[in-house]
C-alpha cells in the first residue's frame, strides 16, 4: 500500500524536506526518508544550520580539528561537508529522475542580500567547492538577487531562488531565469545542464496578513491569502513557461523553473496542520516540508489535485482584502525585509555558537 507522500508524488508533485543536519545523514534517517517518505530533495538555510549545530555534538570533531581562523570560515567548512554528503546520497535520485529531482540546496550568506557581485562570487564558490551536479545554491529574491540569478544562470549554474513572497517578484525572477538561459544559449552553452526552482513562501504570508486582519476585526478573511497567492503564482508559472519564447529554449534542452512551496508548516494552531500541503497539490511543483509536517501528512494528509481549484475565489480574495484596507504590496515588502533580517539574526547566532563551541573545545581563535 502506497503512503500518502508516495501518492502525492504520483500526482506530479516532488517532496523535498526542509531540514539538514549531520545526524540526519549519518544516522541513516535521510536515506530512510528517501526510501519510505518519497523524499527526493533537501533544502537548508542559516536557521536550519543554526538549529543543527545547537543540538548534540555531531560537529565537535570537525570544529576541534579545523584550522580555519574565524567562525565564518569554520561554518562554511561544516556546511559544505554536510551538503556535499547529502548530494552524494541523493545522486541516485538525480540520475533516476534525469536531473528533475535529487537536489540539495545551500544558501548564500544573508549578509550579502543587497550585494549582487558578492552574491555571485559566493554562489560560484559554493558550486565550485562542492562540485556536485545536483547542487542548488539559494539566492534570495531581492533587487540585488534578481540580477545575480540572471548572471548565475547565464554562466550555467543551477539556482534555488528563495524568499519569494509576491507575484510581482515571482515574475521578475522567472524572467531573470529566462534571460539567463537565453544568454547562455547565445554564448554556445548547454541550457539542459541548468536547473532552477522558485521558492514561494506560503504560511508566512498568512501570519503577517492575519495579524493585520485581527486589528480590523476581519477574521473571516484569515488563513487564506498564503494559499491564494501561491495558486496565482502557479498560474503565472504556466503563462511564463509556455509560448514561442519558452519553446525556443525548451527545444535546446532548457527545463522549467518549477514553483517550490516553502514555509508549509502552519503557524496558527487553529488551522489544520497539513493545510499548506493539501491545498497546493499539483503537477510540476515541489512541496518542501519540515519534519513535523512530513509526519503529519503521512499520518492524515488528504491527497487530491487542488492547485488549480477555486481560482476565482483566490482572485476575488485580493479584492476583498483591498476593500478591507489590507495593503498586499506592503505585506510582501515587509515579509521580504523581515525574511532577510531573520536569516541574518540566525547567521549571527550561528557564528556566536561556533565561537563558543571552539572555546569549549579549547580551540584558539
Amino acid at each position: 500500500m502506497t503512503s500518502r507522500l508516495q501518492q502525492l508524488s504520483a500526482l506530479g508533485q516532488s517532496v523535498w524536506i526542509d531540514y539538514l543536519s549531520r545526524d540526519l545523514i549519518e544516522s541513516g534517517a535521510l536515506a530512510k526518508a528517501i526510501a519510505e517518505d518519497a523524499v527526493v530533495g533537501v533544502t537548508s538555510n542559516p536557521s536550519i544550520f543554526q538549529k543543527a549545530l545547537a543540538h548534540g555534538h555531531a560537529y565537535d570533531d570537525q570544529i576541534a580539528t579545523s584550522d580555519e581562523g574565524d567562525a565564518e570560515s569554520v561554518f562554511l567548512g561544516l556546511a559544505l561537508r554536510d551538503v556535499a554528503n547529502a548530494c552524494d546520497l541523493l545522486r541516485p535520485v538525480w540520475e533516476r529522475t534525469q536531473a528533475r529531482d535529487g537536489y540539495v540546496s545551500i544558501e548564500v550568506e544573508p549578509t550579502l542580500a543587497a550585494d549582487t557581485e558578492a552574491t555571485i562570487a559566493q554562489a560560484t564558490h559554493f558550486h565550485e567547492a562542492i562540485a556536485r551536479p545536483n547542487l542548488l545554491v539559494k539566492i534570495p529574491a531581492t533587487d540585488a538577487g534578481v540580477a545575480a540569478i540572471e548572471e548565475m544562470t547565464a554562466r550555467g549554474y543551477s539556482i534555488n531562488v528563495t524568499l519569494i513572497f509576491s507575484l510581482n517578484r515571482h515574475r521578475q525572477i522567472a524572467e531573470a531565469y529566462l534571460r539567463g538561459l537565453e544568454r547562455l544559449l547565445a554564448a554556445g552553452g548547454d541550457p539542459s545542464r541548468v536547473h532552477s526552482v522558485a521558492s514561494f513562501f506560503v504560511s508566512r504570508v498568512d501570519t503577517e496578513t492575519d495579524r493585520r486582519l485581527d486589528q480590523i476585526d476581519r477574521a473571516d478573511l484569515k488563513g487564506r491569502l498564503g494559499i491564494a497567492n501561491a495558486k496565482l503564482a502557479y498560474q503565472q508559472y504556466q503563462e511564463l513557461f509556455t509560448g514561442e519564447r519558452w519553446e525556443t529554449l525548451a527545444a535546446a534542452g532548457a527545463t522549467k523553473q518549477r514553483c517550490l512551496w516553502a514555509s508549509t508548516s502552519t503557524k496558527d494552531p487553529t488551522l489544520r496542520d497539513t493545510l499548506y500541503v493539501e491545498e497546493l497539490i499539483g503537477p510540476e511543483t515541489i512541496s518542501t516540508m519540515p519534519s513535523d509536517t512530513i509526519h503529519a501528512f503521512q499520518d492524515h494528509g488528504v491527497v487530491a489535485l487542488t492547485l488549480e481549484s477555486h481560482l476565482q475565489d483566490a482572485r476575488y480574495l485580493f479584492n476583498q482584502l483591498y476593500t478591507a484596507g489590507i495593503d498586499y504590496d506592503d505585506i510582501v515588502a515587509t515579509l521580504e525585509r523581515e525574511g532577510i533580517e531573520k536569516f541574518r539574526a540566525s547567521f549571527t547566532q550561528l557564528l556566536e555558537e561556533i565561537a563558543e563551541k571552539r572555546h569549549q573545545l579549547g580551540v584558539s581563535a
Side-chain angles (χ1 to χ4, degrees), residues 16 85 88 121 152 157 171 182 188 219 235 266 276 282 290 297 308 323 340 344-345 352-353 357:
W16 292 11
N85 287 339
D88 290 343
M152 290 298 293
Y157 292 107
R171 178 176 289 275
E182 288 166 341
Q235 295 301 301
T266 50
Y276 295 114
F297 194 84
E308 295 193 90
T323 302
I340 296 295
R344 280 180 177 156
E352 291 172 352
E353 290 176 359
K357 180 73 76 170

Side-chain angles (χ1 to χ4, degrees), residues 25-87:
I25 298 168
E26 295 181 349
S27 69
L30 178 55
K32 183 178 180 182
I34 294 168
E36 298 180 6
D37 293 326
V39 168
V40 290
V42 176
T43 58
S44 63
N45 59 46
S47 297
I48 289 170
F49 271 113
Q50 186 269 320
K51 291 174 184 175
L53 187 74
H55 294 89
H57 304 278
Y59 297 96
D60 288 7
D61 287 346
Q62 188 178 350
I63 293 173
T65 56
S66 173
D67 57 4
E68 300 290 352
D70 59 83
E72 183 175 345
S73 298
V74 173
F75 157 69
L76 290 177
L78 301 175
L80 293 178
R81 178 171 154 184
D82 278 4
V83 171
N85 287 339
C87 281

Side-chain angles (χ1 to χ4, degrees), residues 92 183 318 326:
R183 288 172 53 193
F318 280 74
I326 298 298

Side-chain angles (χ1 to χ4, degrees), residues 299-310:
D299 180 66
H300 53 264
V302 178
V303 182
L305 288 172
T306 54
L307 187 51
E308 295 193 90
S309 65
H310 306 295

